[in-house]
Amino acid sequence: MLRMSTLFLRTLREVPADAEVASHKLLVRAGYVRRIAAGIYSWLPLGYIVYRNIENIVRDEMNKAGFQEVHFPALLPSEAYEKTNRWQEYGSDLFRLKDRKGGDYLLGPTHEEMFTLMVKGECSSYKDVPLVIYQIQTKYRDEARPRSGIIRGREFVMKDSYSFDIDDAGLAHSYQRHRDAYISTFDRLNLKYSIVSAVSGAMGGSASEEFLAPCDTGEDTYVLCESCGFAANVEAIVTPMAELPTANVPPLEILDTPNTPTIESLVEVLNNEYGGGFTAADTLKNILLMADGEAISVLVPGDREVDLKRLGASLPGIEDLRLFEEGDFATRKELVKGYVGPQDAARLGLRLYADPRVAPNSVWVTGANERNRHARYVVNGRDFQVDQYIEAAEVRAGDTCPKCATPVIIDRAIEIGHIFQLGRKYAEALDLTVLDAEGKQRVLTMGSYGIGVSRAVAAVAEQSHDEMGLCWPREIAPADIHIVATGKDDVPFAKAEEIAEALESIGARIMLDDRRDASPGVKFKDAELIGIPTIVVVGKGLADGTIEVRDRKSGERSDIPVDEVVGYLAALLD
RNA sequence: CGGGGCGUAGCGUAGUGGCUAGCGCGCCUGCUUUGGGAGCAGGAGACCGGGAGUUCGAAUCUCCCCGCCCCGACCA
């Protein structure tokens, strides 16, 4: 039984100055966590109970799925990570350290290498697979920017599992088993979530899906179709290309457009000087970028920005992609900032990419490659030739769903899980092979699957709170029932104690506010802040033989006769 | 890593060159109070993030460093 009189807990009336998002504010105010350093948090008793409840649900669902738990150290020698090149690739996100002999060590950011080596050591036959093993482990990543309390920390707990199969069909099956287990897990955590394809289907790529829990403060943006349920990362959205007929468009005409380096200023001049009726969507934006040191040109409609993430995802193999800077314009004087058009791309040696919205036969106003001049009646296919169509423009709410053409919404979310068909990358790098039925060496194929366990605490808090405080689902809450005793004399306290013991004897987890020196208001505020799903008030009602039972989430209150209250509460727990 | 903001008691804050650094919450003691963060009285708690400098005098101005938060890049 948790007793407020002795519990190691201090609730805060004021919002801590360093907290911005709801989960962070409330978890600190309610005394669940405290910050140690940027992205590094301690758990206080209530927080650690909640954390373990979530961990146990995750573990339980993994075990039910037939996966086996193992445990690796967080402190690892660099050797395996050097073999897979991640010692270099991970860069400064890796916490590195040396032992007294000067040997290189790291704090594990993820454990693919270690799992692969473990299986290599224990398995040598196709009969040893399929195999799924997992661990619940503290991970370390020296994030450039930890944020949002425990949502993105430098130390965090992740459940990571790995599947090992002899062939692709086996991998697909292991992947599906994980998908099902994740659905059971997140349902049990009472989280609302969408399963989102993480990699563009058009690109081929291995299957990968993210479990995203929608919330305003989430750091992932994704696209959701409320009509057909389609959900995808913005990187994975495919824009259909319109099929426009060849039209009889007047020949390209150069216009004087003084002082119009921006789309906005251009539209204004067009409407004042050239007939009106123009919007930003009629203009063609010609964005110049440096892709691994080479200048490229990307076309998007003037009312859209280039989305560098989407563009990068569409240009595999390009490592360093950035917008043109002043220096780049300075070295290429033929490119006139603010007045670039695609008409001369070929002559200037620029590879010309276009968003599918810039369809063949579409007609535009665009730069004339001369200061203070633009061109109109510029036709794609007649006046310029696109080298390649790629996803480049930002995705916006109201764009049409690639599946059913309904306008989509854009939502923010926290990534709570990720399932990924890894393939043979690690197995090959670390030479993980078994003998098949014909006695030949076969490289195993792997999947990797993660759930952010500590992050899930924050995700549930984000989705389940109100202006008064947290509202935990019962299985996660630090207790089933929060009993508050109020009054001066001993009667309500004795009664509360009696009810608490009766409930505990039937397996209920009880928080009892037995403080004699705190006023009723303080106790109610604390109970609401802490967020145990059922609050029982033993006090004033005793005079007419009743005890008040409140539902934290709905705020519903009912007066239950004293003799029936234990039975009533027991029924709530079933 | 780029941009912005901030650092004063456990928490939230006031104090832009001049008396003993002020207030609220919390904490301690006593009395009163007990169904919505009680009242009164008394009290403890701060080398003002660190260092160097300017000055008769620095929380306050200058420089350097450290730390924290937000936006972006990165990561997943």
Side-chain angles (χ1 to χ4, degrees):
Chain A
M1 190 187 305
L2 299 166
R3 289 173 183 276
M4 287 293 276
S5 60
T6 51
L7 187 63
F8 182 50
L9 168 75
R10 164 163 289 171
T11 58
L12 304 177
R13 197 180 295 207
E14 314 244 24
V15 177
D18 60 0
E20 195 89 359
V21 302
S23 60
H24 188 196
K25 288 178 185 168
L26 291 173
L27 289 169
V28 173
R29 278 193 58 214
Y32 283 65
V33 301
R34 292 288 182 257
R35 189 178 62 75
I36 295 293
I40 303 177
Y41 287 81
S42 307
W43 300 95
L44 277 68
L46 289 182
Y48 202 48
I49 292 169
V50 167
Y51 163 78
R52 268 179 290 146
N53 290 342
I54 289 180
E55 182 186 308
N56 287 335
I57 289 172
V58 172
R59 177 177 287 115
D60 191 41
E61 293 299 325
M62 291 296 111
N63 292 344
K64 274 188 196 159
F67 309 153
Q68 299 174 63
E69 185 169 13
V70 299
H71 199 74
F72 282 92
L75 177 62
L76 301 165
S78 64
E79 196 182 353
Y81 289 76
E82 282 172 20
K83 278 192 184 143
T84 58
N85 207 35
R86 284 165 109 183
W87 180 252
Q88 287 78 26
E89 277 174 10
Y90 240 99
S92 48
D93 276 11
L94 197 59
F95 275 107
R96 300 157 201 267
L97 57 162
K98 287 192 186 291
D99 71 2
R100 64 203 303 157
K101 292 181 230 158
D104 284 318
Y105 284 76
L106 61 113
L107 295 175
T110 174
H111 282 74
E112 279 82 0
E113 284 83 352
M114 305 316 294
F115 273 83
T116 307
L117 289 173
M118 179 179 270
V119 171
K120 181 179 157 119
E122 312 299 323
C123 297
S124 40
S125 158
Y126 71 97
K127 293 173 190 164
D128 294 325
V129 298
L131 170 71
V132 177
I133 48 181
Y134 76 95
Q135 68 170 344
I136 295 173
Q137 235 290 7
T138 309
K139 307 291 188 190
Y140 297 87
R141 294 182 191 170
D142 194 0
E143 296 277 353
R145 184 150 94 86
R147 73 188 89 171
S148 308
I150 58 173
I151 291 176
R152 184 175 208 80
R154 294 192 292 168
E155 178 185 288
F156 59 98
V157 177
M158 183 157 104
K159 186 288 302 173
D160 51 327
S161 27
Y162 303 85
S163 64
F164 299 86
D165 284 280
I166 195 83
D167 56 23
D168 292 351
L171 172 56
H173 183 244
S174 294
Y175 182 87
Q176 188 59 41
R177 284 167 74 202
H178 267 92
R179 201 175 189 275
D180 294 343
Y182 276 32
I183 289 170
S184 311
T185 305
F186 294 128
D187 285 349
R188 204 166 145 194
L189 292 176
N190 269 279
L191 280 166
K192 288 191 291 287
Y193 61 92
S194 294
I195 303 175
V196 166
S197 2
V199 178
S200 162
M203 287 175 54
S206 314
S208 169
E209 289 169 294
E210 291 176 355
F211 288 71
L212 297 184
C215 82
D216 301 338
T217 49
E219 53 183 349
D220 290 76
T221 305
Y222 76 111
V223 176
L224 177 66
C225 173
E226 291 175 305
S227 166
C228 74
F230 170 83
N233 266 337
V234 287
E235 289 93 327
I237 291 290
V238 178
T239 310
M241 179 137 54
E243 290 189 21
L244 301 175
T246 323
N248 198 8
V249 180
L252 184 149
E253 180 189 356
I254 303 289
L255 310 175
D256 281 320
T257 53
N259 296 318
T260 54
T262 64
I263 297 287
E264 200 178 38
S265 54
L266 172 62
V267 169
E268 197 184 326
V269 168
L270 288 171
N271 284 329
N272 291 340
E273 313 281 333
Y274 296 101
F278 291 94
T279 70
D282 300 316
T283 68
L284 183 61
K285 198 183 276 187
N286 197 129
I287 301 292
L288 298 169
L289 300 105
M290 293 300 285
D292 284 346
E294 189 194 341
I296 62 167
S297 180
V298 175
L299 301 175
V300 296
D303 61 337
R304 299 225 177 213
E305 297 301 326
V306 165
D307 183 328
L308 277 179
K309 269 193 177 175
R310 300 192 71 221
L311 182 61
S314 313
L315 291 170
I318 302 290
E319 303 248 313
D320 180 38
L321 184 67
R322 59 168 177 82
L323 293 169
F324 249 49
E325 292 163 2
E326 291 300 334
D328 301 314
F329 282 105
T331 54
R332 303 203 58 166
K333 296 271 194 239
E334 69 278 19
L335 299 169
V336 187
K337 191 180 179 189
Y339 302 89
V340 179
Q343 305 85 307
D344 301 320
R347 184 173 59 77
L348 297 174
L350 284 174
R351 188 166 172 80
L352 193 58
Y353 295 92
D355 189 80
R357 288 177 180 82
V358 185
N361 297 325
S362 53
V363 184
W364 304 93
V365 176
T366 191
N369 296 312
E370 276 182 80
R371 187 161 305 283
N372 295 331
R373 287 189 158 184
H374 280 84
R376 73 168 151 184
Y377 307 128
V378 181
V379 180
N380 181 357
R382 184 188 76 182
D383 302 309
F384 63 92
Q385 306 296 330
V386 172
D387 291 309
Q388 191 183 339
Y389 287 93
I390 57 173
E391 296 295 331
E394 59 177 336
V395 174
R396 287 204 295 238
D399 288 352
T400 54
C401 169
K403 282 231 172 106
C404 73
T406 312
V408 296
I409 60 168
I410 303 252
D411 213 352
R412 292 176 74 87
I414 303 173
E415 181 186 346
I416 49 174
H418 194 167
I419 54 179
F420 186 48
Q421 294 191 17
L422 262 187
R424 296 190 167 79
K425 175 179 172 182
Y426 293 94
E428 268 163 10
L430 298 165
D431 195 27
L432 171 60
T433 60
V434 297
L435 289 179
D436 68 11
E438 279 89 47
K440 285 195 300 196
Q441 295 283 351
R442 297 265 300 263
V443 177
L444 290 179
T445 184
M446 295 169 58
S448 87
Y449 317 88
I451 291 179
V453 179
S454 48
R455 176 181 282 185
V457 176
V460 174
E462 283 293 332
Q463 286 192 352
S464 192
H465 70 269
D466 58 24
E467 53 299 331
M468 297 187 293
L470 298 158
C471 306
W472 298 108
R474 196 175 303 278
E475 196 178 356
I476 295 172
D480 291 305
I481 296 170
H482 189 136
I483 302 174
V484 175
T486 68
K488 279 204 272 212
D489 54 49
D490 295 341
V491 178
F493 288 87
K495 194 73 208 174
E497 193 87 30
E498 183 190 319
I499 294 167
E501 275 163 24
L503 288 166
E504 202 160 53
S505 71
I506 57 165
R509 299 169 303 138
I510 303 300
M511 163 82 95
L512 175 63
D513 196 340
D514 55 347
R515 290 176 292 179
R516 298 297 294 252
D517 52 354
S519 71
V522 169
K523 294 180 180 180
F524 297 151
K525 291 286 186 198
D526 276 346
E528 283 146 2
L529 182 59
I530 289 167
I532 291 165
T534 304
I535 300 169
V536 174
V537 185
V538 184
K540 220 167 59 172
L542 283 180
D544 20 270
T546 63
I547 283 170
E548 187 182 327
V549 177
R550 302 179 185 176
D551 183 80
R552 170 64 184 88
K553 198 152 202 163
S554 68
E556 218 167 282
R557 304 178 179 200
S558 21
D559 290 316
I560 308 297
V562 175
D563 297 341
E564 295 168 24
V565 76
V566 171
Y568 178 90
L569 292 168
L572 286 183
L573 303 186
D574 292 335

